[in-house]
Amino acid sequence: MKEKQKELWASLDEALKMALTLEEVGSIKTEYLGKKGKITELSQLLKTMSPEEKKDFGKELNEIKNHAEEAIAEKIAEIESRQLSDRLEKERIDISLPGTKIVTGSPNMLEGLIEGLEELFLSMGYDVVEGPEVEKDLYNFELLNLPKGHPARDAQDTFYIKDEELLLRSQTSPVQIRTMLANSEKGPIRIICPGKTYRRDDDDATHSHQFTQMEGLLIDKDISLADLKGTFDVIAKYMFGDKVKTRFRSSFYPFTEPSVELDVSCFNCEGKGCPICKNTGYITVGGAGMVHPKVLKNCGYDPDEMSGFAFGFGIERIAMLKYGVTDVRTFYINDLRNNSDRRDV
């Protein structure tokens, strides 16, 4: 048995010495310790031995098995250590180099639409201006030609915080007022004002007590409705494609004169008439007009010297039309089980 033991050890050690991969070591382990392995076969001899012979033979057999298991484990550890060193060498990082910025996530529909419109207006020379959401009645209504008790205030009934002087803004127009008042030289202005607005509406498929609005204001010399029409054409084509047509319809807003509704040709029927556009061929997307002379005077401008136009539209409404969203609440709820009416975009 001693000769057999030496022979097995020598052949095992030689095989392990030549092994370079874990797969090769696995094959060697099967060859020696598997069910039909060389060492396992030796244990079958125990059946033919006397009790005294079994004692000595079993001891030597255990020594062979222990040696084989230890040798194989050492070889596996050696190969794994070498592989780890090789991988660490290949994946070594030069920490002196600047880190790579990884962009995570993406803007939702509303944020993406706002960012795109901001880039469009910036390319046309507009500035993006923001203002407080908690606003004074003075800026939200009075300086916009909406004195206390004016019936047009009913359409913009909002949430009051303190008496009737502090409120949540019902539009982003106060940002326009603040910008005009801050312009000490009373020179040209070209701005857009995106942001949250609030009104006391009952939430349903088309109304929300909180929504996002984007307004624009341009003041300069010799500004006319033609300038507003050209600007609206650019905005409409950006939002709905080059084939869209635009039109003005007479309307009324206390802060503009004349005032117009901003309509675009129906993208569903291309102006022929369908249920979406109520068979008119057009869909209203916002309101606009020439800045009212009283508003200009309230902010220190001479309406005989300067004129301008203002426009505004709800971002949610534009997104609903553009992406086929049928319920405005889809933008705010976070339970996807309730989004059965939302079309993936």
Side-chain angles (χ1 to χ4, degrees), residues 270-289:
E270 298 183 348
K272 298 175 183 178
C274 68
I276 292 180
C277 62
K278 299 179 181 179
N279 294 314
T280 64
Y282 282 84
I283 299 174
T284 301
V285 295

Side-chain angles (χ1 to χ4, degrees), residues 62-76:
N62 285 335
E63 290 178 356
I64 296 173
K65 289 178 67 175
N66 290 337
H67 174 81
E69 290 172 351
E70 291 175 2
I72 291 172
E74 289 177 3
K75 188 64 177 182
I76 290 175

Side-chain angles (χ1 to χ4, degrees), residues 88-100:
L88 290 175
E89 181 65 25
K90 291 179 181 178
E91 297 176 359
R92 185 170 56 180
I93 299 174
D94 185 352
I95 60 174
S96 66
L97 294 174
T100 302

Side-chain angles (χ1 to χ4, degrees), residues 70-332:
E70 291 175 2
I72 291 172
E74 289 177 3
K75 188 64 177 182
I76 290 175
E78 176 190 328
I79 294 175
E80 288 179 341
S81 176
R82 185 177 69 250
Q83 289 178 341
L84 177 60
S85 298
D86 292 343
R87 186 166 68 252
L88 290 175
E89 181 65 25
K90 291 179 181 178
E91 297 176 359
R92 185 170 56 180
I93 299 174
D94 185 352
I95 60 174
S96 66
L97 294 174
T100 302
K101 184 177 180 180
I102 300 175
V103 180
T104 59
S106 61
N108 62 26
M109 284 185 220
L110 302 183
E111 289 297 328
L113 189 54
I114 291 172
E115 290 176 4
L117 286 168
E118 286 178 346
E119 291 180 4
L120 174 67
F121 281 107
L122 287 171
S123 71
M124 295 192 291
Y126 284 70
D127 293 323
V128 179
V129 183
E130 297 181 346
E133 295 179 19
V134 178
E135 190 54 273
K136 294 181 178 180
D137 182 272
L138 176 67
Y139 299 125
N140 195 78
F141 289 122
E142 293 182 42
L143 293 179
L144 283 162
N145 201 29
L146 280 161
K148 287 183 172 61
H150 196 292
R153 284 195 179 205
D154 292 343
Q156 295 192 30
D157 190 16
T158 186
F159 300 91
Y160 289 85
I161 297 174
K162 184 179 181 182
D163 300 326
E164 294 184 357
E165 300 303 323
L166 198 63
L167 47 82
L168 294 180
R169 66 184 183 188
S170 60
Q171 53 195 346
T172 57
S173 300
V175 181
Q176 301 179 25
I177 295 296
R178 289 177 176 273
T179 303
M180 287 191 282
L181 290 172
N183 189 346
S184 58
E185 297 180 358
K186 303 307 172 187
I189 291 176
R190 191 177 297 186
I191 62 171
I192 58 168
C193 320
K196 295 289 186 186
T197 54
Y198 307 85
R199 295 182 188 178
R200 293 182 63 181
D201 281 333
D202 293 329
D203 287 12
D204 57 28
T206 57
H207 297 84
S208 174
H209 66 281
Q210 170 187 300
F211 59 97
T212 312
Q213 194 175 54
M214 179 174 286
E215 295 190 7
L217 172 70
L218 187 149
I219 295 178
D220 208 332
K221 294 182 178 180
D222 302 320
I223 301 299
S224 68
L225 277 176
D227 300 303
L228 173 59
K229 183 62 162 59
T231 301
F232 179 47
D233 283 346
V234 173
I235 300 171
K237 284 180 169 55
Y238 170 80
M239 293 189 296
F240 301 109
D242 292 336
K243 294 183 179 180
V244 72
K245 297 179 182 179
T246 61
R247 75 174 185 184
F248 285 167
R249 282 186 301 110
S250 296
S251 186
F252 169 76
Y253 300 109
F255 32 80
T256 54
E257 180 61 38
S259 303
V260 295
E261 299 284 349
L262 304 176
D263 295 346
V264 297
S265 57
C266 180
F267 47 82
N268 183 61
C269 65
E270 298 183 348
K272 298 175 183 178
C274 68
I276 292 180
C277 62
K278 299 179 181 179
N279 294 314
T280 64
Y282 282 84
I283 299 174
T284 301
V285 295
M290 301 302 294
V291 180
H292 199 290
K294 286 188 178 180
V295 176
L296 291 172
K297 286 182 180 180
N298 289 340
C299 296
Y301 282 84
D302 183 354
D304 293 327
E305 292 289 332
M306 305 290 280
S307 59
F309 62 74
F311 59 86
F313 45 82
I315 295 298
E316 283 85 354
R317 175 163 175 76
I318 299 300
M320 290 174 74
L321 294 171
K322 185 176 179 67
Y323 301 117
V325 178
T326 59
D327 192 322
V328 69
R329 291 167 294 189
T330 302
F331 295 116
Y332 305 111

